[in-house]
């Protein structure tokens, strides 16, 4: 019984700490994301792509027409671990909730490569 009492005590302490971490955001929990992006060198082109997304055009279609990246069709970068992106890109990408190309939840980042419109399809 002593062990279970100790575990219960540890659990409640961990639970309180875990709650604080969750309140800080789910981004720290995910170590892998399935991510897509649209990369534009010019701000004006990025704004055109955003307007298309806001008009309801699918993310992958906008990526095919506007992205200047050599990524696979539709802006798909695939499953990537933390640490594989520019820090500015990664901060935005790991904070995004998963969504679909039909109804994307997007974020934006500016890196040395240009302007990114980012969406995440999955998190692990």
């Amino acid at each position: 019984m002593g062990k279970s009492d100790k575990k219960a005590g540890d659990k409640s302490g961990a639970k309180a700490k875990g709650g604080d971490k969750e309140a800080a955001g789910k981004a720290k929990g995910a170590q892998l994301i399935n991510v897509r992006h649209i990369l534009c060198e010019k701000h004006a082109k990025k704004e055109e792509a955003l307007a298309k997304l806001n008009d309801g055009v699918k993310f992958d279609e906008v990526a095919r027409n506007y992205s200047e990246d050599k990524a696979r069709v539709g802006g798909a970068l695939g499953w990537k671990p933390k640490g594989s992106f520019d820090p500015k890109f990664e901060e935005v990408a790991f904070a995004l909730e998963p969504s679909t190309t039909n109804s994307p939840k997007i974020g934006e980042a500016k890196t040395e490569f240009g302007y990114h419109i980012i969406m995440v399809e999955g998190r692990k």
Side-chain angles (χ1 to χ4, degrees):
M1 272 201 224
K3 284 184 179 178
S4 61
D5 290 344
K6 192 174 187 179
K7 283 182 183 175
D10 290 344
K11 253 187 193 171
S12 63
K15 195 181 249 184
K17 287 179 187 172
D20 292 341
K21 285 180 186 172
E22 284 178 31
K26 293 181 182 177
K28 295 188 181 194
Q31 294 302 310
L32 284 171
I33 55 172
N34 186 5
V35 64
R36 289 180 182 260
H37 80 144
I38 299 167
L39 173 64
C40 300
E41 190 177 311
K42 303 276 187 214
H43 183 265
K45 188 168 185 179
K46 185 232 5 157
E47 290 297 316
E48 283 180 41
L50 274 176
K52 292 288 185 190
L53 290 170
N54 290 331
D55 287 344
V57 180
K58 289 175 62 173
F59 191 94
D60 53 340
E61 187 177 325
V62 176
R64 279 193 294 274
N65 293 323
Y66 286 87
S67 188
E68 298 165 359
D69 187 16
K70 303 251 188 280
R72 291 182 290 161
V73 178
L77 298 174
W79 286 97
K80 299 290 182 186
K82 272 192 172 180
S84 46
F85 298 112
D86 178 284
K88 293 174 191 164
F89 182 102
E90 191 164 286
E91 182 180 347
V92 173
F94 275 87
L96 286 169
E97 289 182 36
S99 59
T100 64
T101 57
N102 290 333
S103 183
K105 294 179 182 177
I106 59 173
E108 297 178 53
K110 167 101 170 69
T111 68
E112 64 181 279
F113 304 104
Y115 297 90
H116 304 263
I117 302 170
I118 307 163
M119 72 160 286
V120 171
E121 292 185 288
R123 300 168 63 85
K124 291 183 185 177

